[in-house]
Structures are given as structure tokens and as C-alpha cells.
Amino acid sequence: KKMGFELDDKAYKQLKQSLKKLQALQITFSHNINNYSDYILCTKEELDGMSERYVSLLPYDIKTKKYTVTLAYPHLHPFLAQATNRAKRKELADKAGSRGGKKNLDIFNRIITLRHDIATTLGYEHHADFRTDGRTAKNAKTVRAFHAAIQKKVEKQAKKDIEMIKGYGKKLGLTKVDNEDWSYVINAIKKEQLNLDPEETRQYFPYD
């Protein structure tokens, strides 16, 4: 059913074309993200909060006399968690959120439309039912019910955690905890309340 063998010849041919287009778009979408490169430049002062080990691994631009912080995982995540310069955290976070570029927004919409068309052609109400058919959940309705049950169980504690993070953010001088602040505030909480510092624990787990 999912491969369209129950369809008539015309519908089956159209389905195959749609599946081919969808696969190409999905590959391009992922390719655009994986091959997207951008960076910010920071002075030594703007790297406040980062360890000497981290700074030593950053490319240094002799012309500008600044360090390059890229969107690569080893650069991005430690910087968002430890850099005290909020403006630079925001600059990097905004660039990370733009991976894939504006062209991916168009591809994203085309993927959604194709997925819906394929699902309805095969007799499903929507893509979610198509994806879950044949799996343990069987349909999207079961998944939604599961999500709702889980949300009910964790919502109370989640709200407490969010309020704690917001409150701790104020202790750090943040009137509002924005996208670029979450990792930074959570890392600060770990240091104070759990005495847990990634740079301190790193020495116990050498790469080799």
C-alpha cells in the first residue's frame, strides 16, 4: 500500500515521480545544512569565559587580530554555554539558526506539500498517518494521545525548571532569558548547584 501498488497505472506513475522529487528535495535540504559554513570574529576580550584550551584551538586571523568561532559543534556549543559576552552569543546563535539559508525555507514548504500529496494519494489523511502505519503506534492519533499523557506528567516540573532558569538568569543580570542565553544560564546553574564544570571533567576523559 505504501509503495502505491494498489493504485491505477496513472496514479502510480504520478506517485513514483512525486517520491523521486521528494527524495531529491530532502537530500538537498540536508546538504544545504551540512555544507553551510559561517562564523563570527572575536577579540580575546570577547572570548571571556572560554578556557585557554578552547581559545588555543580557534583559528586566528592575523589581519583583524581576532579569533574565528565557527558553527562547528566543538566551537558552537561550548561558546553558547560559557561565553560571558551576550552580544557575541546572540550573533553566533542567530547564525546557527540560519543554517541552510533562505533557500531551505522554500525547499521545506515544497517537502511539506509533496509529503501531504503522497499521503493523500495513498489513502491516508496526512503524512503523520502515513509514517506511523505499520509501526507500533499505528496512527497519529495514538502518538498525539501519548504526547498529551507525557506532557501532563512532566508539565508541572517543567514549569518549575523554566522558572528556576529564568530566576537564575536575573541573578546573572539578564532581564529575559532568550535563545542565546539558555545554555549559558543552565551551565552556570550546573557549576553552582552541582559543582559540575565541563572543563574540569574533561581531564578525566582524554580523547585517546
Side-chain angles (χ1 to χ4, degrees):
K1 179 184 177 181
K2 283 188 155 187
M3 292 305 296
F5 294 148
E6 297 178 352
L7 301 174
D8 59 51
D9 289 346
K10 183 179 179 181
Y12 180 67
K13 186 177 180 181
Q14 185 176 344
L15 175 71
K16 285 181 70 176
Q17 290 176 343
S18 295
L19 287 168
K20 192 174 181 179
K21 286 180 184 176
L22 178 62
Q23 184 181 28
L25 285 171
Q26 290 176 158
I27 290 171
T28 303
F29 184 86
S30 296
H31 179 83
N32 288 342
I33 292 175
N34 294 335
N35 291 276
Y36 189 83
S37 60
D38 206 347
Y39 59 89
I40 64 171
L41 293 173
C42 298
T43 62
K44 188 68 166 64
E45 291 72 26
E46 290 169 336
L47 291 171
D48 180 60
M50 308 310 299
S51 68
E52 288 300 323
R53 180 200 60 82
Y54 177 91
V55 176
S56 69
L57 295 174
L58 295 176
Y60 183 71
D61 185 64
I62 299 175
K63 284 186 178 180
T64 61
K65 294 183 179 179
K66 291 183 178 182
Y67 295 86
T68 302
V69 182
T70 71
L71 300 181
Y73 187 94
H75 286 188
L76 175 67
H77 293 278
F79 191 89
L80 293 180
Q82 299 168 24
T84 61
N85 190 308
R86 192 186 190 195
K88 283 297 177 180
R89 288 203 311 270
K90 176 172 172 51
E91 187 180 351
L92 190 64
D94 287 348
K95 286 180 180 291
S98 301
R99 276 180 292 198
K102 290 183 179 179
K103 55 191 173 185
N104 258 11
L105 294 176
D106 175 58
I107 293 174
F108 185 76
N109 288 322
R110 289 163 66 190
I111 286 173
I112 290 175
T113 301
L114 268 174
R115 283 180 173 179
H116 182 74
D117 290 345
I118 289 168
T120 54
T121 298
L122 293 171
Y124 297 96
E125 186 179 348
H126 41 58
H127 179 70
D129 273 347
F130 166 73
R131 289 289 294 171
T132 50
D133 184 24
R135 299 188 177 191
T136 305
K138 293 185 172 55
N139 54 58
K141 184 179 179 181
T142 306
V143 175
R144 290 195 187 97
F146 175 74
H147 283 172
I150 292 294
Q151 184 174 347
K152 189 175 181 181
K153 290 179 183 293
V154 303
E155 194 169 24
K156 187 176 180 181
Q157 184 60 47
K159 285 181 178 178
K160 283 184 179 180
D161 289 346
I162 290 170
E163 288 307 310
M164 177 187 71
I165 292 168
K166 287 180 177 178
Y168 202 90
K170 288 180 180 178
K171 284 177 62 176
L172 296 174
L174 303 172
T175 54
K176 182 184 176 184
V177 178
D178 284 321
N179 179 45
E180 66 271 13
D181 303 318
W182 284 94
S183 293
Y184 180 72
V185 175
I186 291 171
N187 188 59
I189 292 172
K190 286 179 180 179
K191 279 185 177 181
E192 181 180 294
Q193 298 187 6
L194 305 178
N195 193 27
L196 183 62
D197 185 348
E199 287 300 324
E200 289 295 319
T201 57
R202 180 181 295 277
Q203 62 183 305
Y204 298 105
F205 300 95
Y207 181 73
D208 56 357

